[in-house]
Amino acid sequence: MTLERELERLTVAAPGSVSGGVALGTGLSDGFSVFESPLGSVVVAFNPLGVSAVDLFTDGFEDRFAERFRRQLLEARPPRDWERLILQALAEGTPGSLPVDFRSVTAFQRQVLEETAAIPRGETRSYGWLAGRTGRPGAARAVGQTMARNPVPLVIPCHRVVLSNGRIGHYGLGGAERKRRLLRVEGAIS
Amino acid sequence: MADNLATELASDLDESFPQLVARLQNGVFSGLRQLAGDHHRAEDLTQETFIRAYLALQSYPAERIRDMRLRGWIWTIALNLFRNDVRASARRPVPVRLEDVGYTQSEPPDSRAWRRRWALLPPAQRRAVILRHVAGLSYREISEATDRPASTVRSDVRRGLARLRSAIEEETNKEVGG
């Protein structure tokens, strides 16, 4: 065998981990891990900017993610210090110092979600109250739409936002019954 | 020569970037594996090379990307990262190689022989031979990646190959001589 031929044999396939690592490192794909939460198993997606989505760990979560965010999901472990922050955020219902990727929402929606993040556990607020906090008191309806678009339910506690007439209102992560269950666990309703 | 992939990257970076990775990753990984002499370092460096490439491309205007010659350019990044890594590892304690303590599962049997052969070559020759014959670059691409004249690269490759031939011959003589 010639030397050149022998050198060519040193050309090998890159390990499969390379393309996945590049996809995650560039943010072209998001990683996801499954965590336990007060609502059972949930999928938490993340990328270099922060946590990008929380969804119920049910069939089709990858398709739902791709449809909304236009990126693929790869199973991966989050950065080690985020793992603890994610568990804490899910347990307490507040992001704390966990970074959130807000690219999927508008500037107004982001402002609403950041106000929502500050609602204490065990309490609720109305859509109208939130609208007032953002300086647009008439925007209760837009606030309601924002709650429906919350990319990271549980981490940003949109379940603590209810109708001003005391009714529970919608909940994107599995319906009103789950919202009621969460508020009961938190001691906000009996 | 216009490169279709460069044109596609210029018009939709996010859509086409995985193709760039798919096309170049084997060459980049294989070249870095011989340069670094270590599978895992090569894996990390390859990953980092493409992440840096993506970040760079994000900041370039489309007309610049369209005219790029991608393979030579990727190797500019890979060689910079490799040099930085060599400098950083000079300050780290030397890890015990698994195969030195009798664990060879993770590496093909001839990689030790090649590490010894590469060590016999001056760095410029080693790099030129690896880029030409393992990573599959043209002389022009090597010249771009290493910022040396193509004529110098050619002579580096020629001398490097000659040195390797005599090294392999010496190995064979030793084996025959017992």
Side-chain angles (χ1 to χ4, degrees):
Chain A
M1 185 163 50
T2 67
L3 176 56
E4 285 86 346
R5 185 76 198 85
E6 208 170 324
L7 286 166
E8 274 169 33
R9 285 182 53 221
L10 297 175
T11 309
V12 294
S17 58
V18 167
S19 61
V22 171
L24 293 175
T26 53
L28 288 173
S29 293
D30 286 26
F32 81 85
S33 280
V34 179
F35 289 89
E36 286 314 303
S37 83
L39 290 183
S41 298
V42 291
V43 177
V44 177
F46 51 88
N47 61 51
L49 294 177
V51 167
S52 54
V54 174
D55 194 0
L56 295 174
F57 182 41
T58 54
D59 281 351
F61 73 87
E62 284 153 308
D63 294 339
R64 292 195 293 273
F65 182 89
E67 193 174 325
R68 171 158 183 199
F69 299 95
R70 302 276 153 210
R71 296 189 299 269
Q72 300 300 309
L73 275 181
L74 292 174
E75 184 154 16
R77 289 190 68 170
R80 202 181 309 160
D81 43 333
W82 286 13
E83 210 155 18
R84 185 179 52 82
L85 293 175
I86 289 170
L87 284 167
Q88 222 169 346
L90 291 172
E92 291 166 16
T94 179
S97 47
L98 179 67
V100 174
D101 174 9
F102 283 109
R103 284 176 301 168
S104 60
V105 299
T106 65
F108 169 73
Q109 290 173 334
R110 177 179 181 155
Q111 197 190 346
V112 172
L113 290 168
E114 283 172 342
E115 291 291 345
T116 308
I119 302 172
R121 186 184 169 89
E123 297 181 22
T124 59
R125 297 288 186 274
S126 71
Y127 295 100
W129 178 88
L130 253 187
R133 292 285 296 179
T134 60
R136 290 172 60 179
R141 202 184 170 80
V143 165
Q145 282 160 357
T146 303
M147 295 300 104
R149 295 282 296 168
N150 178 10
V152 288
L154 293 175
V155 169
I156 290 182
C158 57
H159 59 275
R160 293 177 194 150
V161 184
V162 297
L163 294 168
S164 49
N165 61 13
R167 293 182 61 180
I168 198 105
H170 293 292
Y171 189 48
L173 202 63
E177 199 33 60
R178 283 206 162 86
K179 185 171 181 176
R180 199 182 316 269
R181 201 204 303 171
L182 274 173
L183 290 174
R184 239 182 242 127
V185 168
E186 296 183 352
I189 58 171
S190 52
Chain B
M1 191 184 73
D3 183 338
N4 282 338
L5 184 52
T7 313
E8 284 169 31
L9 287 166
S11 71
D12 190 342
L13 176 62
D14 288 1
E15 179 70 28
S16 319
F17 191 76
Q19 287 177 56
L20 176 78
V21 179
R23 188 197 282 187
L24 298 180
Q25 63 171 352
N26 292 350
V28 171
F29 172 74
S30 303
L32 284 169
R33 183 164 152 260
Q34 296 306 316
L35 282 170
D38 183 279
H39 184 95
H40 296 291
R41 269 175 76 201
E43 189 175 333
D44 289 348
L45 287 167
T46 304
Q47 211 165 290
E48 191 60 25
T49 296
F50 285 104
I51 292 171
R52 298 258 180 127
Y54 176 79
L55 295 175
L57 289 171
Q58 263 190 327
S59 70
Y60 292 172
E63 51 278 20
R64 176 164 175 194
I65 299 175
R66 209 173 296 127
D67 293 335
M68 280 176 74
R69 295 146 50 76
L70 297 164
R71 195 170 13 207
W73 176 73
I74 281 284
W75 268 102
T76 322
I77 301 173
L79 289 174
N80 277 331
L81 285 170
F82 172 63
R83 273 187 290 264
N84 293 342
D85 186 64
V86 169
R87 269 196 294 273
S89 65
R91 294 190 293 268
R92 283 196 294 265
V94 181
V96 177
R97 288 185 188 283
L98 290 173
E99 71 271 25
D100 291 343
V101 292
Y103 186 91
T104 52
Q105 199 185 342
S106 66
E107 276 198 82
D110 61 346
S111 59
R112 224 174 154 177
W114 274 105
R115 261 205 303 278
R116 193 173 53 235
R117 290 169 193 159
W118 294 128
L120 299 170
L121 268 59
Q125 289 179 21
R126 182 192 316 148
R127 194 178 57 191
V129 172
I130 288 172
L131 291 183
R132 179 75 190 95
H133 290 288
V134 181
L137 271 66
S138 68
Y139 289 113
R140 185 174 169 190
E141 286 168 337
I142 300 171
S143 162
E144 286 164 355
T146 58
D147 201 21
R148 288 159 72 86
S151 56
T152 312
V153 171
R154 252 175 223 280
S155 91
D156 280 341
V157 171
R158 200 174 50 238
R159 287 186 201 165
L161 289 177
R163 184 74 194 84
L164 285 174
R165 274 193 197 96
S166 65
I168 291 169
E169 203 171 309
E170 277 167 37
E171 287 168 20
T172 320
N173 288 344
K174 256 185 218 159
E175 277 165 30
V176 171

